Amino acid sequence: MQFMLLFSRQGKLRLQKWYVPLSDKEKKKITRELVQTVLARKPKMCSFLEWRDLKIVYKRYASLYFCCAIEDQDNELITLEIIHRYVELLDKYFGSVCELDIIFNFEKAYFILDEFLLGGEAQETSKKNVLKAIEQADLLQEVRHLIKITVDKVF
Amino acid sequence: MALKIVKGSIDRMFDKNLQDLVRGIRNHKEDEAKYISTCIDEIKQELKQDNIAVKANAVCKLTYLQMLGYDVSWAAFNIVEVMSSSKFTYKRIGYLAASQCFHESTDVIMLTTNQIRKDLSSPNQYDTGVALTGLSCFVTPDLARDLANDIMTLMSHTKPYIRKKAVLIMYKVFLKYPESLRPAFPRLKEKLEDPDPGVQSAAVNVICELARRNPKNYLSLAPLFFKLMTSSTNNWVLIKIIKLFGALTPLEPRLGKKLIEPLTNLIHSTSAMSLLYECVNTVIAGQYWFSVGSKELCVQKLRILIEDSDQNLKYLGLLAMSKILKTHPKSVQSHKDLILQCLDDKDESIRLRALDLLYGMVSKKNLMEIVKKLMLHVDKAEGTTYRDELLTKIIDICSQSNYQYITNFEWYISILVELTRLEGTRHGHLIASQMLDVAIRVKAIRVFAVAQMATLLDNAHLLTGNMQRNGICEVLYAAAWICGEFSEHLENPMQTLEAMLRPKVATLPGHIQAVYVQNAAKLFATILKSQEGNTDSTAAQDTSQLMIDRLPLFVQSANLEVQERASCILQLVKYIQKLQQKDVEVAEEVNALFAGELNPVAPKAQKKVPVPEGLDLDAWINEPPSESESEDEQPKAIFAKEEPKHSRPRHTEVDEKELARRREARKQEQANNPFYIKASPSSQKVYQDAPGVEHIPVVQIDLSVPLKVPGLPMSDQYVKLEEERRQKERAEKKKKEKKKRKEKRSGRGKKHDSGPESEEDITPAHQVDIVTEEMPESNCASVRFYLSRPLADSEKLPVRSHRAAEAAKSPAEDGETENATSLEPKKKSSKEKREKKKDKDRDRKVMVKCWIHHWDCAFFVFIFFCLHFLTGNDAYHLLCSCKSDFKGRLNGRWETMSDTVYDIQGNLQDGSQVVVSVIFENKCDSFLKSMEFNVLDSLNSKLQRPEGSGPHDGLTVPFQLPPGVSNEARFVFTVQSIVMPQKLKGTLTFIVKNEDSSTHEKLDFKLHFTCTSYLITTPCYSDAFAKLLESGDLKGSSVRLEGVNMPFHHLLARICFHHHFSIVERIDSCASMYSRSIQGHHVCLLVKTSGQTVSIDAKCDEPTLLGNVLDEIKQTFSQC
């Protein structure tokens, strides 16, 4: 996988993950172009399109589009499966996820994605394992919240 | 007081965390940029503080802003600071920010090396994990080099969580720092058998990706992957493994055969569409075509995908189908119905895929039907892009391979005319060029085409409604030209002339106006000719007057070309008018301006005309002109270039006689040229009174549909017409057959199959002049033509004069290479051969290696033979064939063939089938394509051809060969009797394509089926063996081998290996051996040795077979 983009129906980027080194300018250009192309497609159309020398696989969940770019020999269907897995993971983690969850906790969405995919390849196919890893890492982070709460209480 | 200050700073510390920022941005929709710039200022303040928590918060906000498209590269150093925090909370944020914001040119990356190394070896697995994740995004060659060793150590970490990540990131490291691959590979390989499935899957992933880049290195892992493939149930892993095999099989064809079974099993059993799709794709891309029914299975499965209601599956199914279409159009064609259905799909991307497929599926039979359907879609199509796509596809489909599938050109012209109704299409020029092409090349259609074009010109106002952005007016260019050039066919030339000189024409683009003016002049000439015969001379004068009245409009044109032509013609007409007033007949002279027939000429024709002897093109004919003169010349040249398309030969002065003579000579030349299909005078007649001519629609004016150009025939009618024509043809044929049968009533009249008509039965109603890239005389048209034709003089292959003689000689030569004894007349040819050998390296262009093995037999049965293609020699011929020693001892030219040897496992299924695998290796620098493999069948052995092809048709080799590439194809032979060895002659024809030319070439070869190749190693127990000998059914024979200089067990091994025997029993210097033929003959040997003499007593139920096998054994040992 070359990159993954999440964007809203209004074309606002919600999450981006690049697995190939590109300059910021190039990234912006690609994003703009792809968001336009995907949003222009009608709802009943299939989830694949050919774009430059890549294949784009996208799927819409509620108001969010999940969009992945894969290479020529890659399997479109398994990429759809990856997208679906990721959505399921978000759903489990946030408890019926919505766009706002991802906007306000965007770093969490990244952490989950990083546990699921690494360097563009699926690293863990078991949902349970991914969530376990995230939960334990979160536990380490709880300390920070405790500090903040005590500070708040003092003043 | 102090407390207040602290409180204030702490307040500020936490006054805006990420959530606040996001909320703020959402609340400031109107002045977002301004709000964010104040936020960035705040962040800059926060970053200046020492408190790491504040910094981390700032970095977190920056990461969010980065996603929104703001530049945060200025904070790179702060990100590194946060990354190096000892607290996981901040570290995590730091690494996330780095992975989002850093790229290879970020200079602070080099500061991170030690920090990352520290994190990688942290006792906390999540520290390590976060570092690995981050690294996967921003790894640079330097980081890869410095950290490769640390990551490699992590591949053996105790926690699978870390191992998994380390393995995956190794791929990125390999990419950035390839030197790490060799030292790390053994450990990576170990991970394929890691107890944790996640780690295992990661390793498969990495190796699969590596193998895609360079498959050769990973061939040795094939058995391991094969094991994984048959044992794993994880679809993710299976997909990767199958992909990996897809990359490996081109290098090792044996894998294909091994894979086909598990792949078919998966295709049958899996419920996961992604896996099914991967399997099908791999089979399609792979070389497994000739095995079992895998191809059919794939097509079936694809049909199911396409029929599925899920758009995604439908799309992928069509995509995969188009891949099959390239190699096996026949198997896709049977699903035409389904693909046509997809044209109605609501999803445009699916429709486009289906259109792609249609191109390869048309035939003479269904072309009209398919195009009719497409025309309906053109009418319905909403978006112009899709409609334009349809239009180009229709034209592509119809015009492919020289209009091969068009049987009725009237229909095609009508289709083109109907297409001109499309508003706002960009492809007007495409339609125009088709009209021109058809009208020029299909002579019989001109009458009809001219009538259609005249109507178009008449209704030009409908086409040019809003012509500024209307590409369709390009067709008027073609219409005007056709009407002018073939004006003798016009029914009402006067009306057309008027249409061409309307004032509205002046609004057309310049290049079209120019054609209008020029062709108006042609029309004028024709009209004059017809009018001058009449007694009333005023008509002719009226015509001249019309020209004189209308042309001044064009003389004023801003376009130079139009202006020049118009003023020229205007003066000419004025002069004509003067003559007419003096009652001088001018028609003939005016017509001479435009005399001469226009013939299609291939673009490269001139190249093929040899420069006559004694002509030096570079030499000056006259003394070189002086400088000043050449300057004067220049402007002329510029003008001459203006309109190369329409420039006619300016030899109008050539007298009539000379012209007639030339025309006669050309006709003669064309008549003798098999590639020049001319419209014979009779064909025009046939057209005139063709069946159903009354169906040609009469002018109908339909005012209710203004967009339709009135009076133009609907192409649909031709579909009906065509049906009628074919039916009539069929009926006639039947009649003829009946007649024949009547004539042959005497008895042996063959039964004619009057079943469904085949492609060949459909004769086209019109014929096209075929102009291919090559000159007619050179090799073109079809392979079959080429085979039966002696080489023409134009062919540049050297020494062709000896061709016939050499071709006859080559079989004898083959015999010689095999037979040890040399006879008197052959000495000469062996001398010749030595000479050839000298030239060998230069000459050898293509080498075809081939071996025969049995269909899935238990042991590797083979015959090798080898073909050399020698250009520069008199013929291309088979150099040697070899039965037993594939290491090349028989002939020095064999080189190292052993790398192509391989074994096949399985069992004997069919006693009459033999499969020949041929590896084609392209050793020349050109691209080879359109390879056809053909063998001259004998009574006994026949090449299996697909159903419906004739007994002499060749088989298309399903691939093309770029230079230096080799590939394997398999051909199945049916053999009746196996008691005799046999040689089959064959030919391989192919096209050699260079940058600038392509030529047909052929290779002759021989296939040698030895009796040994029909034997299969079959174990036999000694008691069964004894029973067999006692039964008395077997006939005996014996042979003695002298001077065999090898240990007895070597000798036995040799017989076993080369002749497929197994040892039943061995006692000292005596052994009994056994083998079975594919048709169940028993062959028993008793081999004894004493000194250098070996005697073999043999028994078999088929004495001829036995004799031949013994001969072959003898030969094996005479060669060592």
Side-chain angles (χ1 to χ4, degrees):
Chain A
M1 192 186 293
Q2 303 244 342
F3 56 86
M4 186 188 226
L5 300 174
L6 259 71
F7 50 88
S8 70
R9 219 163 32 155
Q10 288 78 34
K12 282 243 161 50
L13 196 60
R14 295 299 178 210
L15 191 139
Q16 55 171 345
K17 192 85 198 174
W18 301 82
Y19 298 109
V20 282
L22 286 173
S23 71
D24 281 348
K25 208 172 140 198
E26 185 71 8
K27 283 182 190 171
K28 268 187 207 164
K29 194 169 155 236
I30 292 175
T31 313
R32 205 175 327 117
E33 212 173 302
L34 264 187
V35 168
Q36 266 175 12
T37 327
V38 171
L39 287 178
R41 284 171 71 90
K42 300 197 183 75
K44 284 286 165 90
M45 283 173 120
C46 70
S47 304
F48 316 122
L49 58 118
E50 273 163 20
W51 181 80
R52 299 196 189 172
D53 55 344
L54 297 175
K55 295 194 282 196
I56 305 295
V57 178
Y58 72 93
K59 195 162 169 69
R60 184 178 156 181
Y61 287 89
S63 58
L64 265 188
Y65 283 88
F66 290 71
C67 174
C68 295
I70 53 174
E71 277 161 64
D72 188 44
Q73 308 110 314
D74 286 329
N75 188 320
E76 291 96 334
L77 290 172
I78 205 74
T79 313
L80 267 188
E81 181 71 15
I82 287 179
I83 293 179
H84 189 71
R85 269 293 151 101
Y86 182 47
V87 174
E88 281 180 334
L89 284 170
L90 290 173
D91 209 50
K92 276 251 171 69
Y93 184 83
F94 290 109
S96 81
V97 68
C98 68
E99 195 185 336
L100 283 180
D101 287 325
I102 296 173
I103 296 173
F104 283 106
N105 301 287
F106 89 112
E107 86 277 22
K108 298 279 186 207
Y110 276 119
F111 294 149
I112 297 172
L113 185 62
D114 285 340
E115 282 301 329
F116 177 43
L117 298 178
L118 195 135
E121 299 291 334
Q123 63 163 316
E124 183 55 72
T125 52
S126 147
K127 273 179 277 185
K128 214 176 71 193
N129 287 352
V130 175
L131 288 174
K132 207 174 80 191
I134 290 287
E135 270 162 30
Q136 292 197 336
D138 279 352
L139 271 182
L140 288 171
Q141 211 167 352
E142 286 308 305
V143 188
R144 181 194 171 209
H145 290 286
L146 291 178
I147 291 174
K148 192 189 170 189
I149 290 162
T150 28
V151 171
D152 281 348
K153 272 180 185 164
V154 169
F155 304 104
Chain B
M1 190 66 193
L3 190 71
K4 217 176 177 182
I5 294 165
V6 173
K7 184 178 183 285
S9 79
I10 290 179
D11 260 347
R12 207 174 72 215
M13 201 191 291
F14 292 109
D15 70 351
K16 206 173 272 171
N17 61 16
L18 180 65
Q19 273 78 8
D20 299 328
L21 175 79
V22 175
R23 218 167 279 134
I25 293 174
R26 291 170 73 84
N27 291 336
H28 290 78
K29 283 222 168 89
E30 297 81 37
D31 52 346
E32 192 182 289
K34 197 176 150 205
Y35 177 75
I36 287 178
S37 74
T38 57
C39 287
I40 288 181
D41 287 342
E42 280 171 28
I43 290 170
K44 279 183 181 159
Q45 289 304 313
E46 285 167 17
L47 286 177
K48 278 183 192 146
Q49 297 194 23
D50 285 334
N51 190 323
I52 192 73
V54 178
K55 268 188 187 163
N57 186 41
V59 163
C60 189
K61 288 194 277 185
L62 276 180
T63 317
Y64 186 80
L65 292 177
Q66 191 267 345
M67 184 173 70
L68 294 183
Y70 292 89
D71 176 35
V72 298
S73 53
W74 48 270
F77 185 74
N78 303 102
I79 294 175
V80 177
E81 278 182 312
V82 178
M83 272 165 76
S84 31
S85 157
S86 59
K87 285 211 172 71
F88 176 71
T89 316
Y90 309 131
K91 194 185 284 302
R92 201 182 190 189
I93 288 168
Y95 272 104
L96 174 65
S99 67
Q100 293 299 107
C101 310
F102 286 6
H103 42 85
E104 281 195 358
S105 51
T106 309
D107 43 8
V108 292
I109 283 190
M110 49 190 197
L111 303 177
T112 59
T113 318
N114 277 326
Q115 180 58 40
I116 296 173
R117 181 173 288 142
K118 212 174 100 194
D119 289 335
L120 288 181
S121 53
S122 157
N124 181 343
Q125 63 165 328
Y126 293 102
D127 281 350
T128 317
V130 145
L132 284 173
T133 312
L135 195 56
S136 76
C137 292
F138 57 78
V139 63
T140 60
D142 286 342
L143 279 180
R145 190 193 56 231
D146 295 341
L147 297 171
N149 200 34
D150 302 74
I151 301 172
M152 204 169 93
T153 326
L154 289 178
M155 281 165 73
S156 317
H157 199 270
T158 49
K159 298 242 168 55
Y161 177 80
I162 298 300
R163 289 208 299 272
K164 184 176 72 187
K165 282 180 193 278
V167 168
L168 275 177
I169 203 176
M170 265 332 255
Y171 177 61
K172 295 273 169 189
V173 173
F174 294 149
L175 290 186
K176 299 285 176 193
Y177 179 59
E179 289 86 339
S180 61
L181 179 56
R182 283 172 58 81
F185 193 69
R187 196 167 286 183
L188 182 61
K189 204 171 132 189
E190 268 170 36
K191 296 298 133 192
L192 283 175
E193 290 170 300
D194 196 279
D196 183 82
V199 180
Q200 205 181 37
S201 147
V204 170
N205 256 338
V206 171
I207 292 179
C208 171
E209 290 304 314
L210 288 171
R212 272 206 231 172
R213 289 167 180 264
N214 181 11
K216 219 169 161 186
N217 284 345
Y218 307 94
L219 266 179
S220 61
L221 293 178
L224 188 57
F225 277 108
F226 197 79
K227 208 176 86 195
L228 274 176
M229 178 174 164
T230 40
S231 60
S232 175
T233 51
N234 183 337
N235 286 345
W236 302 72
V237 175
L238 278 175
I239 286 177
K240 284 285 174 187
I241 295 178
I242 290 166
K243 208 179 275 299
L244 173 87
F245 277 124
L248 295 185
T249 32
L251 298 175
E252 179 52 281
R254 267 184 291 176
L255 270 175
K257 265 157 250 127
K258 275 201 148 185
L259 279 175
I260 195 68
E261 197 196 316
L263 274 184
T264 9
N265 285 346
L266 276 176
I267 291 176
H268 275 302
S269 63
T270 185
S271 58
M273 280 302 174
S274 48
L275 181 57
L276 172 71
Y277 180 63
E278 193 64 49
C279 292
V280 170
N281 252 338
T282 309
V283 174
I284 291 171
Q287 310 294 323
Y288 324 134
W289 284 117
F290 282 83
S291 44
V292 221
S294 57
K295 168 187 64 178
E296 268 316 306
L297 181 65
C298 286
V299 177
Q300 271 170 29
K301 284 285 172 183
L302 288 180
R303 190 180 169 100
I304 296 173
L305 288 188
I306 297 173
E307 279 169 342
D308 200 286
S309 58
D310 185 342
Q311 300 289 83
N312 293 336
L313 298 184
K314 211 183 264 278
Y315 177 88
L316 294 179
L318 289 169
L319 194 70
M321 274 283 195
S322 62
K323 286 181 198 153
I324 298 189
L325 186 73
K326 282 179 201 134
T327 49
H328 292 77
K330 282 251 168 65
S331 40
V332 182
Q333 269 160 15
S334 55
H335 300 284
K336 199 189 80 200
D337 54 321
L338 189 65
I339 288 155
L340 281 174
Q341 262 175 39
C342 291
L343 282 180
D344 296 321
D345 201 280
K346 47 193 180 301
D347 185 347
E348 190 178 299
S349 41
I350 288 178
R351 291 200 301 260
L352 287 173
R353 284 271 155 244
L355 268 183
D356 282 346
L357 275 171
L358 274 184
Y359 180 80
M361 289 178 35
V362 288
S363 65
K364 283 180 183 170
K365 245 190 283 181
N366 62 20
L367 175 74
M368 285 186 164
E369 179 198 341
I370 288 180
V371 172
K372 185 181 162 189
K373 186 132 195 186
L374 292 180
M375 291 299 285
L376 282 179
H377 283 281
V378 171
D379 288 340
K380 278 190 286 179
E382 295 138 14
T384 40
T385 15
Y386 179 58
R387 211 183 48 184
D388 280 0
E389 184 66 23
L390 271 170
L391 189 151
T392 43
K393 270 279 141 42
I394 290 177
I395 289 179
D396 274 358
I397 286 174
C398 291
S399 62
Q400 65 176 305
S401 33
N402 270 316
Y403 308 100
Q404 190 190 349
Y405 299 115
I406 295 185
T407 51
N408 186 335
F409 278 95
E410 281 185 22
W411 164 81
Y412 186 45
I413 292 276
S414 321
I415 288 285
L416 290 175
V417 171
E418 272 174 51
L419 286 176
T420 61
R421 299 196 318 243
L422 292 186
E423 253 189 311
T425 180
R426 293 178 292 117
H427 294 300
H429 61 277
L430 197 62
I431 304 177
S433 71
Q434 285 288 299
M435 285 173 168
L436 286 171
D437 198 37
V438 170
I440 293 170
R441 287 167 63 184
V442 188
K443 294 197 177 92
I445 200 66
R446 285 178 190 166
V447 180
F448 180 79
V450 164
Q452 293 296 306
M453 295 305 124
T455 333
L456 261 186
L457 284 180
D458 232 10
N459 297 293
H461 57 282
L462 292 179
L463 295 180
T464 54
N466 45 2
M467 37 143 290
Q468 282 319 310
R469 48 189 186 80
N470 199 340
I472 204 70
C473 61
E474 287 291 327
V475 296
L476 293 175
Y477 178 100
W481 191 86
I482 291 170
C483 282
E485 180 66 24
F486 308 116
S487 50
E488 69 271 19
H489 300 302
L490 272 176
E491 222 167 84
N492 190 350
M494 202 57 206
Q495 190 188 339
T496 311
L497 182 63
E498 275 196 59
M500 276 164 84
L501 293 172
R502 274 181 205 145
K504 190 111 200 272
V505 172
T507 58
L508 289 172
H511 66 285
I512 300 180
Q513 281 185 57
V515 173
Y516 264 68
V517 171
Q518 182 76 13
N519 286 285
K522 288 187 207 165
L523 257 179
F524 173 66
T526 320
I527 294 171
L528 269 191
K529 200 178 173 187
S530 67
Q531 285 173 339
E532 237 165 42
N534 298 347
T535 44
D536 184 15
S537 65
T538 51
Q541 288 189 20
D542 286 349
T543 320
S544 308
Q545 193 54 47
L546 176 76
M547 292 289 279
I548 291 169
D549 290 345
R550 299 282 176 85
L551 279 174
L553 178 69
F554 298 102
V555 175
Q556 291 158 16
S557 169
N559 186 301
L560 280 181
E561 180 73 22
V562 180
Q563 199 189 89
E564 193 194 14
R565 282 170 192 244
S567 54
C568 238
I569 290 164
L570 182 62
Q571 291 312 315
L572 183 74
V573 178
K574 277 184 180 163
Y575 182 66
I576 290 169
Q577 199 186 29
K578 234 186 247 171
L579 289 175
Q580 279 174 333
Q581 281 157 358
K582 292 179 196 161
D583 273 341
V584 182
E585 296 219 332
V586 287
E588 208 163 297
E589 276 87 353
V590 177
N591 269 294
L593 282 174
F594 307 110
E597 193 191 356
L598 184 96
N599 277 322
V601 177
K604 288 178 186 165
Q606 184 63 49
K607 251 196 226 164
K608 297 281 175 175
V609 181
V611 178
E613 222 176 296
L615 173 65
D616 183 2
L617 287 176
D618 297 326
W620 289 101
I621 299 173
N622 298 315
E623 282 304 297
S626 68
E627 291 277 282
S628 61
E629 258 176 328
S630 69
E631 263 168 35
D632 288 343
E633 219 68 72
Q634 267 172 355
K636 245 187 205 170
I638 290 170
F639 283 118
K641 270 182 205 160
E642 287 277 24
E643 266 288 285
K645 268 186 195 167
H646 300 286
S647 65
R648 296 163 157 278
R650 295 181 180 177
H651 301 302
T652 38
E653 299 97 333
V654 180
D655 61 324
E656 220 31 63
K657 254 188 195 170
E658 172 67 12
L659 267 178
R661 197 187 57 76
R662 281 189 202 167
R663 215 168 282 154
E664 202 46 51
R666 192 168 57 217
K667 269 185 193 160
Q668 203 59 43
E669 200 183 290
Q670 286 170 5
N672 294 335
N673 184 344
F675 297 98
Y676 201 93
I677 306 167
K678 16 179 210 311
S680 60
S682 62
S683 79
Q684 223 155 7
K685 235 191 237 161
V686 166
Y687 158 68
Q688 296 277 327
D689 36 46
V693 80
E694 61 276 5
H695 290 266
I696 293 175
V698 208
V699 175
Q700 38 162 311
I701 294 173
D702 191 353
L703 287 173
S704 61
V705 194
L707 257 184
K708 234 177 241 176
V709 177
L712 301 175
M714 295 294 293
S715 55
D716 294 357
Q717 281 167 300
Y718 286 97
V719 181
K720 274 186 228 149
L721 253 166
E722 181 68 13
E723 277 298 300
E724 269 174 41
R725 192 179 69 86
R726 280 184 204 168
Q727 249 168 16
K728 203 158 181 183
E729 248 168 37
R730 248 173 285 162
E732 260 168 35
K733 219 186 212 171
K734 264 187 199 164
K735 247 191 239 165
K736 267 188 208 161
E737 272 169 30
K738 261 186 202 164
K739 242 188 195 170
K740 264 190 208 161
R741 253 180 257 167
K742 263 183 202 165
E743 281 165 6
K744 286 192 177 178
R745 200 167 262 182
S746 52
R748 33 175 198 134
K750 283 177 212 157
K751 275 204 173 171
H752 288 263
D753 188 19
S754 50
E757 58 179 343
S758 70
E759 272 288 283
E760 285 74 22
D761 292 340
I762 305 172
T763 53
H766 313 281
Q767 284 178 319
V768 200
D769 279 353
I770 294 174
V771 184
T772 50
E773 298 241 312
E774 305 297 320
M775 264 294 261
E777 292 93 48
S778 86
N779 357 342
C780 66
S782 99
V783 179
R784 261 164 254 135
F785 269 125
Y786 176 78
L787 285 179
S788 56
R789 196 166 52 84
L791 288 176
D793 287 351
S794 59
E795 272 168 314
K796 287 290 172 255
L797 288 167
V799 215
R800 70 199 158 267
S801 51
H802 295 314
R803 187 188 159 81
E806 276 303 315
K809 216 188 278 170
S810 66
E813 258 178 33
D814 297 332
E816 184 210 38
T817 7
E818 287 152 26
N819 296 338
T821 51
S822 67
L823 294 168
E824 182 54 18
K826 283 174 185 164
K827 266 184 183 165
K828 199 176 137 202
S829 68
S830 67
K831 200 170 148 198
E832 238 175 57
K833 233 168 53 191
R834 238 173 288 132
E835 279 166 22
K836 278 177 204 159
K837 199 173 176 182
K838 251 191 257 166
D839 294 342
K840 188 186 72 178
D841 288 334
R842 178 171 56 82
D843 290 336
R844 187 194 302 127
K845 278 264 174 89
V846 178
M847 188 178 201
V848 182
K849 301 176 209 166
C850 168
W851 72 92
I852 301 179
H853 59 77
H854 280 291
W855 186 246
D856 282 346
C857 62
F859 191 74
F860 169 39
V861 188
F862 53 82
I863 293 176
F864 263 132
F865 71 91
C866 152
L867 303 167
H868 285 232
F869 168 37
L870 304 172
T871 53
N873 261 314
D874 315 19
Y876 325 118
H877 57 251
L878 179 69
L879 270 187
C880 49
S881 78
C882 168
K883 282 156 292 181
S884 48
D885 194 345
F886 47 86
K887 276 177 194 144
R889 272 183 216 187
L890 187 71
N891 194 306
R893 288 169 212 189
W894 272 69
E895 296 160 358
T896 50
M897 292 264 180
S898 44
D899 56 332
T900 54
V901 174
Y902 79 133
D903 59 345
I904 310 104
Q905 291 177 356
N907 59 344
L908 176 67
Q909 285 171 339
D910 192 334
S912 62
Q913 276 196 345
V914 174
V915 177
V916 178
S917 294
V918 185
I919 287 188
F920 297 93
E921 184 178 357
N922 182 358
K923 292 205 163 181
C924 66
D925 303 326
S926 313
F927 199 90
L928 299 188
K929 59 179 205 173
S930 305
M931 289 191 278
E932 249 188 57
F933 180 89
N934 200 2
V935 169
L936 207 60
D937 288 350
S938 70
L939 282 176
N940 190 30
S941 314
K942 290 184 172 59
L943 176 62
Q944 274 197 356
R945 298 176 167 87
E947 273 182 32
S949 55
H952 305 298
D953 290 355
L955 286 179
T956 314
V957 182
F959 46 76
Q960 306 185 333
L961 288 181
V965 170
S966 64
N967 208 339
E968 183 200 9
R970 297 203 237 154
F971 303 96
V972 182
F973 285 80
T974 38
V975 186
Q976 276 178 353
S977 159
I978 57 159
V979 298
M980 296 279 280
Q982 198 160 14
K983 283 181 199 165
L984 291 185
K985 277 190 195 176
T987 321
L988 181 78
T989 56
F990 50 90
I991 295 176
V992 182
K993 200 166 159 63
N994 287 323
E995 275 151 22
D996 45 5
S997 69
S998 59
T999 47
H1000 258 96
E1001 302 289 8
K1002 70 167 188 168
L1003 266 174
D1004 290 316
F1005 59 83
K1006 274 189 178 180
L1007 281 170
H1008 196 139
F1009 294 74
T1010 56
C1011 282
T1012 292
S1013 62
Y1014 300 126
L1015 295 183
I1016 303 144
T1017 315
T1018 321
C1020 185
Y1021 293 108
S1022 53
D1023 44 353
F1025 189 76
K1027 252 185 206 161
L1028 202 62
L1029 290 176
E1030 278 165 20
S1031 68
D1033 293 334
L1034 308 182
K1035 317 258 181 326
S1037 176
S1038 62
V1039 68
R1040 282 174 81 84
L1041 308 173
E1042 298 288 351
V1044 178
N1045 226 342
M1046 58 171 79
F1048 190 52
H1049 65 273
H1050 276 189
L1051 178 109
L1052 292 182
R1054 213 162 235 280
I1055 298 178
C1056 286
F1057 185 62
H1058 295 312
H1059 298 283
H1060 320 138
F1061 280 86
S1062 60
I1063 299 177
V1064 182
E1065 232 176 348
R1066 184 188 156 187
I1067 304 156
D1068 298 326
S1069 59
C1070 181
S1072 52
M1073 305 179 87
Y1074 175 78
S1075 182
R1076 246 182 92 155
S1077 80
I1078 54 168
Q1079 292 181 353
H1081 304 289
H1082 304 283
V1083 188
C1084 309
L1085 301 183
L1086 185 65
V1087 188
K1088 286 182 229 164
T1089 177
S1090 60
Q1092 296 204 338
T1093 315
V1094 178
S1095 71
I1096 302 177
D1097 291 307
K1099 283 193 168 182
C1100 175
D1101 41 7
E1102 179 54 63
T1104 330
L1105 175 70
L1106 183 61
N1108 286 319
V1109 170
L1110 287 181
D1111 283 348
E1112 281 162 25
I1113 295 179
K1114 204 170 167 182
Q1115 215 172 341
T1116 310
F1117 287 96
S1118 67
Q1119 281 152 11
C1120 41

